[in-house]
PDB file of all heavy atoms in Angstrom:
ATOM      1  N   LEU A   1      12.823  27.829  -0.262  1.00 97.00           N
ATOM      2  CA  LEU A   1      11.846  27.055  -1.027  1.00 97.00           C
ATOM      3  C   LEU A   1      12.175  25.583  -0.869  1.00 97.00           C
ATOM      4  O   LEU A   1      13.323  25.167  -1.063  1.00 97.00           O
ATOM      5  CB  LEU A   1      11.903  27.456  -2.512  1.00 97.00           C
ATOM      6  CG  LEU A   1      11.054  26.661  -3.503  1.00 97.00           C
ATOM      7  CD1 LEU A   1       9.565  26.771  -3.169  1.00 97.00           C
ATOM      8  CD2 LEU A   1      11.309  27.141  -4.933  1.00 97.00           C
ATOM      9  N   SER A   2      11.197  24.798  -0.517  1.00 97.00           N
ATOM     10  CA  SER A   2      11.404  23.367  -0.313  1.00 97.00           C
ATOM     11  C   SER A   2      11.572  22.645  -1.647  1.00 97.00           C
ATOM     12  O   SER A   2      10.786  22.853  -2.578  1.00 97.00           O
ATOM     13  CB  SER A   2      10.210  22.783   0.447  1.00 97.00           C
ATOM     14  OG  SER A   2      10.173  21.378   0.343  1.00 97.00           O
ATOM     15  N   ALA A   3      12.578  21.789  -1.730  1.00 97.00           N
ATOM     16  CA  ALA A   3      12.764  20.974  -2.930  1.00 97.00           C
ATOM     17  C   ALA A   3      11.574  20.050  -3.133  1.00 97.00           C
ATOM     18  O   ALA A   3      11.156  19.788  -4.267  1.00 97.00           O
ATOM     19  CB  ALA A   3      14.057  20.163  -2.815  1.00 97.00           C
ATOM     20  N   ASP A   4      11.004  19.566  -2.037  1.00 97.00           N
ATOM     21  CA  ASP A   4       9.831  18.690  -2.135  1.00 97.00           C
ATOM     22  C   ASP A   4       8.638  19.430  -2.743  1.00 97.00           C
ATOM     23  O   ASP A   4       7.835  18.834  -3.462  1.00 97.00           O
ATOM     24  CB  ASP A   4       9.445  18.153  -0.755  1.00 97.00           C
ATOM     25  CG  ASP A   4      10.444  17.131  -0.225  1.00 97.00           C
ATOM     26  OD1 ASP A   4      11.243  16.613  -1.029  1.00 97.00           O
ATOM     27  OD2 ASP A   4      10.428  16.854   0.991  1.00 97.00           O
ATOM     28  N   ARG A   5       8.516  20.736  -2.443  1.00 98.00           N
ATOM     29  CA  ARG A   5       7.414  21.533  -3.002  1.00 98.00           C
ATOM     30  C   ARG A   5       7.545  21.626  -4.517  1.00 98.00           C
ATOM     31  O   ARG A   5       6.572  21.503  -5.266  1.00 98.00           O
ATOM     32  CB  ARG A   5       7.427  22.945  -2.368  1.00 98.00           C
ATOM     33  CG  ARG A   5       6.539  23.997  -3.049  1.00 98.00           C
ATOM     34  CD  ARG A   5       5.092  23.872  -2.644  1.00 98.00           C
ATOM     35  NE  ARG A   5       4.365  22.957  -3.477  1.00 98.00           N
ATOM     36  CZ  ARG A   5       3.794  23.234  -4.650  1.00 98.00           C
ATOM     37  NH1 ARG A   5       3.898  24.429  -5.187  1.00 98.00           N
ATOM     38  NH2 ARG A   5       3.134  22.321  -5.309  1.00 98.00           N
ATOM     39  N   VAL A   6       8.769  21.807  -5.004  1.00 98.00           N
ATOM     40  CA  VAL A   6       8.999  21.874  -6.447  1.00 98.00           C
ATOM     41  C   VAL A   6       8.731  20.515  -7.084  1.00 98.00           C
ATOM     42  O   VAL A   6       8.115  20.424  -8.151  1.00 98.00           O
ATOM     43  CB  VAL A   6      10.433  22.347  -6.748  1.00 98.00           C
ATOM     44  CG1 VAL A   6      10.698  22.342  -8.259  1.00 98.00           C
ATOM     45  CG2 VAL A   6      10.661  23.745  -6.180  1.00 98.00           C
ATOM     46  N   ALA A   7       9.185  19.444  -6.428  1.00 97.00           N
ATOM     47  CA  ALA A   7       8.935  18.095  -6.949  1.00 97.00           C
ATOM     48  C   ALA A   7       7.434  17.801  -7.012  1.00 97.00           C
ATOM     49  O   ALA A   7       6.942  17.190  -7.964  1.00 97.00           O
ATOM     50  CB  ALA A   7       9.650  17.060  -6.084  1.00 97.00           C
ATOM     51  N   GLU A   8       6.711  18.244  -5.984  1.00 97.00           N
ATOM     52  CA  GLU A   8       5.255  18.049  -5.970  1.00 97.00           C
ATOM     53  C   GLU A   8       4.604  18.785  -7.131  1.00 97.00           C
ATOM     54  O   GLU A   8       3.730  18.240  -7.819  1.00 97.00           O
ATOM     55  CB  GLU A   8       4.686  18.570  -4.645  1.00 97.00           C
ATOM     56  CG  GLU A   8       3.169  18.488  -4.547  1.00 97.00           C
ATOM     57  CD  GLU A   8       2.647  19.185  -3.308  1.00 97.00           C
ATOM     58  OE1 GLU A   8       3.061  20.346  -3.050  1.00 97.00           O
ATOM     59  OE2 GLU A   8       1.822  18.574  -2.597  1.00 97.00           O
ATOM     60  N   ALA A   9       5.019  20.026  -7.361  1.00 98.00           N
ATOM     61  CA  ALA A   9       4.460  20.815  -8.459  1.00 98.00           C
ATOM     62  C   ALA A   9       4.748  20.158  -9.801  1.00 98.00           C
ATOM     63  O   ALA A   9       3.854  20.017 -10.649  1.00 98.00           O
ATOM     64  CB  ALA A   9       5.035  22.231  -8.422  1.00 98.00           C
ATOM     65  N   ALA A  10       6.007  19.745  -9.999  1.00 98.00           N
ATOM     66  CA  ALA A  10       6.381  19.103 -11.258  1.00 98.00           C
ATOM     67  C   ALA A  10       5.604  17.808 -11.459  1.00 98.00           C
ATOM     68  O   ALA A  10       5.172  17.488 -12.578  1.00 98.00           O
ATOM     69  CB  ALA A  10       7.882  18.833 -11.276  1.00 98.00           C
ATOM     70  N   GLY A  11       5.403  17.060 -10.383  1.00 97.00           N
ATOM     71  CA  GLY A  11       4.654  15.814 -10.488  1.00 97.00           C
ATOM     72  C   GLY A  11       3.218  16.049 -10.926  1.00 97.00           C
ATOM     73  O   GLY A  11       2.669  15.288 -11.745  1.00 97.00           O
ATOM     74  N   ARG A  12       2.577  17.094 -10.386  1.00 98.00           N
ATOM     75  CA  ARG A  12       1.200  17.391 -10.792  1.00 98.00           C
ATOM     76  C   ARG A  12       1.130  17.783 -12.262  1.00 98.00           C
ATOM     77  O   ARG A  12       0.219  17.384 -12.982  1.00 98.00           O
ATOM     78  CB  ARG A  12       0.637  18.522  -9.930  1.00 98.00           C
ATOM     79  CG  ARG A  12       0.191  18.096  -8.541  1.00 98.00           C
ATOM     80  CD  ARG A  12      -0.826  19.085  -7.987  1.00 98.00           C
ATOM     81  NE  ARG A  12      -1.221  18.702  -6.634  1.00 98.00           N
ATOM     82  CZ  ARG A  12      -0.731  19.238  -5.534  1.00 98.00           C
ATOM     83  NH1 ARG A  12       0.211  20.165  -5.613  1.00 98.00           N
ATOM     84  NH2 ARG A  12      -1.163  18.848  -4.348  1.00 98.00           N
ATOM     85  N   VAL A  13       2.092  18.589 -12.701  1.00 98.00           N
ATOM     86  CA  VAL A  13       2.106  19.017 -14.097  1.00 98.00           C
ATOM     87  C   VAL A  13       2.310  17.823 -15.020  1.00 98.00           C
ATOM     88  O   VAL A  13       1.636  17.683 -16.051  1.00 98.00           O
ATOM     89  CB  VAL A  13       3.188  20.084 -14.334  1.00 98.00           C
ATOM     90  CG1 VAL A  13       3.294  20.420 -15.823  1.00 98.00           C
ATOM     91  CG2 VAL A  13       2.884  21.345 -13.528  1.00 98.00           C
ATOM     92  N   ARG A  14       3.224  16.940 -14.677  1.00 97.00           N
ATOM     93  CA  ARG A  14       3.484  15.764 -15.505  1.00 97.00           C
ATOM     94  C   ARG A  14       2.267  14.844 -15.557  1.00 97.00           C
ATOM     95  O   ARG A  14       1.943  14.287 -16.612  1.00 97.00           O
ATOM     96  CB  ARG A  14       4.695  15.001 -14.969  1.00 97.00           C
ATOM     97  CG  ARG A  14       6.012  15.725 -15.205  1.00 97.00           C
ATOM     98  CD  ARG A  14       7.191  14.943 -14.637  1.00 97.00           C
ATOM     99  NE  ARG A  14       8.448  15.678 -14.804  1.00 97.00           N
ATOM    100  CZ  ARG A  14       9.615  15.249 -14.372  1.00 97.00           C
ATOM    101  NH1 ARG A  14       9.700  14.079 -13.728  1.00 97.00           N
ATOM    102  NH2 ARG A  14      10.712  15.954 -14.563  1.00 97.00           N
ATOM    103  N   GLU A  15       1.587  14.687 -14.429  1.00 97.00           N
ATOM    104  CA  GLU A  15       0.389  13.843 -14.413  1.00 97.00           C
ATOM    105  C   GLU A  15      -0.698  14.431 -15.318  1.00 97.00           C
ATOM    106  O   GLU A  15      -1.353  13.720 -16.077  1.00 97.00           O
ATOM    107  CB  GLU A  15      -0.141  13.705 -12.989  1.00 97.00           C
ATOM    108  CG  GLU A  15      -1.384  12.825 -12.892  1.00 97.00           C
ATOM    109  CD  GLU A  15      -1.913  12.716 -11.481  1.00 97.00           C
ATOM    110  OE1 GLU A  15      -1.394  13.401 -10.583  1.00 97.00           O
ATOM    111  OE2 GLU A  15      -2.873  11.945 -11.274  1.00 97.00           O
ATOM    112  N   LEU A  16      -0.885  15.758 -15.233  1.00 98.00           N
ATOM    113  CA  LEU A  16      -1.857  16.416 -16.107  1.00 98.00           C
ATOM    114  C   LEU A  16      -1.472  16.227 -17.568  1.00 98.00           C
ATOM    115  O   LEU A  16      -2.318  15.877 -18.404  1.00 98.00           O
ATOM    116  CB  LEU A  16      -1.927  17.907 -15.776  1.00 98.00           C
ATOM    117  CG  LEU A  16      -2.784  18.757 -16.728  1.00 98.00           C
ATOM    118  CD1 LEU A  16      -4.264  18.399 -16.604  1.00 98.00           C
ATOM    119  CD2 LEU A  16      -2.563  20.257 -16.454  1.00 98.00           C
ATOM    120  N   ALA A  17      -0.209  16.462 -17.888  1.00 97.00           N
ATOM    121  CA  ALA A  17       0.251  16.345 -19.270  1.00 97.00           C
ATOM    122  C   ALA A  17       0.072  14.931 -19.800  1.00 97.00           C
ATOM    123  O   ALA A  17      -0.341  14.727 -20.950  1.00 97.00           O
ATOM    124  CB  ALA A  17       1.719  16.763 -19.369  1.00 97.00           C
ATOM    125  N   ARG A  18       0.366  13.939 -18.964  1.00 97.00           N
ATOM    126  CA  ARG A  18       0.175  12.554 -19.387  1.00 97.00           C
ATOM    127  C   ARG A  18      -1.292  12.271 -19.673  1.00 97.00           C
ATOM    128  O   ARG A  18      -1.640  11.691 -20.705  1.00 97.00           O
ATOM    129  CB  ARG A  18       0.673  11.608 -18.300  1.00 97.00           C
ATOM    130  CG  ARG A  18       0.511  10.117 -18.664  1.00 97.00           C
ATOM    131  CD  ARG A  18       0.563   9.241 -17.423  1.00 97.00           C
ATOM    132  NE  ARG A  18      -0.572   9.540 -16.544  1.00 97.00           N
ATOM    133  CZ  ARG A  18      -0.668   9.101 -15.290  1.00 97.00           C
ATOM    134  NH1 ARG A  18       0.299   8.382 -14.749  1.00 97.00           N
ATOM    135  NH2 ARG A  18      -1.717   9.407 -14.565  1.00 97.00           N
ATOM    136  N   ASP A  19      -2.166  12.705 -18.785  1.00 96.00           N
ATOM    137  CA  ASP A  19      -3.595  12.469 -18.977  1.00 96.00           C
ATOM    138  C   ASP A  19      -4.107  13.147 -20.248  1.00 96.00           C
ATOM    139  O   ASP A  19      -4.915  12.579 -20.995  1.00 96.00           O
ATOM    140  CB  ASP A  19      -4.386  12.973 -17.774  1.00 96.00           C
ATOM    141  CG  ASP A  19      -4.144  12.134 -16.525  1.00 96.00           C
ATOM    142  OD1 ASP A  19      -3.532  11.054 -16.642  1.00 96.00           O
ATOM    143  OD2 ASP A  19      -4.567  12.576 -15.437  1.00 96.00           O
ATOM    144  N   LEU A  20      -3.641  14.368 -20.500  1.00 96.00           N
ATOM    145  CA  LEU A  20      -4.082  15.079 -21.698  1.00 96.00           C
ATOM    146  C   LEU A  20      -3.551  14.419 -22.958  1.00 96.00           C
ATOM    147  O   LEU A  20      -4.243  14.349 -23.979  1.00 96.00           O
ATOM    148  CB  LEU A  20      -3.632  16.546 -21.628  1.00 96.00           C
ATOM    149  CG  LEU A  20      -4.264  17.378 -20.507  1.00 96.00           C
ATOM    150  CD1 LEU A  20      -3.670  18.776 -20.476  1.00 96.00           C
ATOM    151  CD2 LEU A  20      -5.777  17.440 -20.673  1.00 96.00           C
ATOM    152  N   ALA A  21      -2.308  13.921 -22.894  1.00 94.00           N
ATOM    153  CA  ALA A  21      -1.740  13.219 -24.047  1.00 94.00           C
ATOM    154  C   ALA A  21      -2.522  11.948 -24.342  1.00 94.00           C
ATOM    155  O   ALA A  21      -2.809  11.624 -25.506  1.00 94.00           O
ATOM    156  CB  ALA A  21      -0.270  12.903 -23.796  1.00 94.00           C
ATOM    157  N   LEU A  22      -2.896  11.217 -23.311  1.00 92.00           N
ATOM    158  CA  LEU A  22      -3.686  10.001 -23.505  1.00 92.00           C
ATOM    159  C   LEU A  22      -5.074  10.338 -24.015  1.00 92.00           C
ATOM    160  O   LEU A  22      -5.618   9.649 -24.889  1.00 92.00           O
ATOM    161  CB  LEU A  22      -3.776   9.219 -22.189  1.00 92.00           C
ATOM    162  CG  LEU A  22      -2.457   8.663 -21.648  1.00 92.00           C
ATOM    163  CD1 LEU A  22      -2.676   7.983 -20.298  1.00 92.00           C
ATOM    164  CD2 LEU A  22      -1.844   7.669 -22.639  1.00 92.00           C
ATOM    165  N   SER A  23      -5.661  11.424 -23.505  1.00 85.00           N
ATOM    166  CA  SER A  23      -6.987  11.835 -23.965  1.00 85.00           C
ATOM    167  C   SER A  23      -6.982  12.207 -25.431  1.00 85.00           C
ATOM    168  O   SER A  23      -7.961  11.971 -26.151  1.00 85.00           O
ATOM    169  CB  SER A  23      -7.492  13.027 -23.139  1.00 85.00           C
ATOM    170  OG  SER A  23      -7.689  12.675 -21.795  1.00 85.00           O
ATOM    171  N   SER A  24      -5.877  12.796 -25.897  1.00 79.00           N
ATOM    172  CA  SER A  24      -5.810  13.226 -27.296  1.00 79.00           C
ATOM    173  C   SER A  24      -5.829  12.046 -28.256  1.00 79.00           C
ATOM    174  O   SER A  24      -6.101  12.211 -29.448  1.00 79.00           O
ATOM    175  CB  SER A  24      -4.540  14.054 -27.530  1.00 79.00           C
ATOM    176  OG  SER A  24      -3.372  13.244 -27.452  1.00 79.00           O
ATOM    177  N   GLU A  25      -5.544  10.859 -27.743  1.00 75.00           N
ATOM    178  CA  GLU A  25      -5.528   9.672 -28.586  1.00 75.00           C
ATOM    179  C   GLU A  25      -6.868   8.936 -28.563  1.00 75.00           C
ATOM    180  O   GLU A  25      -7.091   8.019 -29.347  1.00 75.00           O
ATOM    181  CB  GLU A  25      -4.419   8.722 -28.125  1.00 75.00           C
ATOM    182  CG  GLU A  25      -3.020   9.323 -28.257  1.00 75.00           C
ATOM    183  CD  GLU A  25      -1.955   8.456 -27.598  1.00 75.00           C
ATOM    184  OE1 GLU A  25      -2.336   7.425 -26.996  1.00 75.00           O
ATOM    185  OE2 GLU A  25      -0.772   8.806 -27.685  1.00 75.00           O
ATOM    186  N   GLU A  26      -7.762   9.346 -27.653  1.00 74.00           N
ATOM    187  CA  GLU A  26      -9.047   8.676 -27.537  1.00 74.00           C
ATOM    188  C   GLU A  26     -10.056   9.323 -28.481  1.00 74.00           C
ATOM    189  O   GLU A  26     -10.081  10.544 -28.636  1.00 74.00           O
ATOM    190  CB  GLU A  26      -9.567   8.755 -26.094  1.00 74.00           C
ATOM    191  CG  GLU A  26      -8.643   8.108 -25.075  1.00 74.00           C
ATOM    192  CD  GLU A  26      -8.483   6.620 -25.296  1.00 74.00           C
ATOM    193  OE1 GLU A  26      -9.423   5.996 -25.817  1.00 74.00           O
ATOM    194  OE2 GLU A  26      -7.414   6.075 -24.950  1.00 74.00           O
ATOM    195  N   PRO A  27     -10.915   8.517 -29.110  1.00 69.00           N
ATOM    196  CA  PRO A  27     -11.943   9.096 -29.984  1.00 69.00           C
ATOM    197  C   PRO A  27     -12.956   9.883 -29.169  1.00 69.00           C
ATOM    198  O   PRO A  27     -13.313   9.505 -28.055  1.00 69.00           O
ATOM    199  CB  PRO A  27     -12.587   7.867 -30.642  1.00 69.00           C
ATOM    200  CG  PRO A  27     -12.326   6.748 -29.674  1.00 69.00           C
ATOM    201  CD  PRO A  27     -10.991   7.044 -29.049  1.00 69.00           C
ATOM    202  N   VAL A  28     -13.395  11.007 -29.711  1.00 68.00           N
ATOM    203  CA  VAL A  28     -14.390  11.845 -29.063  1.00 68.00           C
ATOM    204  C   VAL A  28     -15.513  12.105 -30.053  1.00 68.00           C
ATOM    205  O   VAL A  28     -15.263  12.390 -31.228  1.00 68.00           O
ATOM    206  CB  VAL A  28     -13.779  13.192 -28.602  1.00 68.00           C
ATOM    207  CG1 VAL A  28     -14.851  14.113 -28.052  1.00 68.00           C
ATOM    208  CG2 VAL A  28     -12.710  12.951 -27.544  1.00 68.00           C
TER     209      VAL A  28
END
């Protein structure tokens, strides 16, 4: 298993989590 593949996966998850956290603070 490539270490870069795991880093890529973790990066996508963190980006999603950040976006969702920011969205939760925006009025809807």
Side-chain angles (χ1 to χ4, degrees):
L1 174 61
S2 163
D4 289 344
R5 167 80 272 275
V6 177
E8 177 188 48
R12 282 203 182 99
V13 174
R14 289 179 183 178
E15 181 181 6
L16 173 68
R18 180 199 64 192
D19 291 349
L20 295 176
L22 295 177
S23 295
S24 70
E25 297 171 357
E26 300 297 331
V28 174

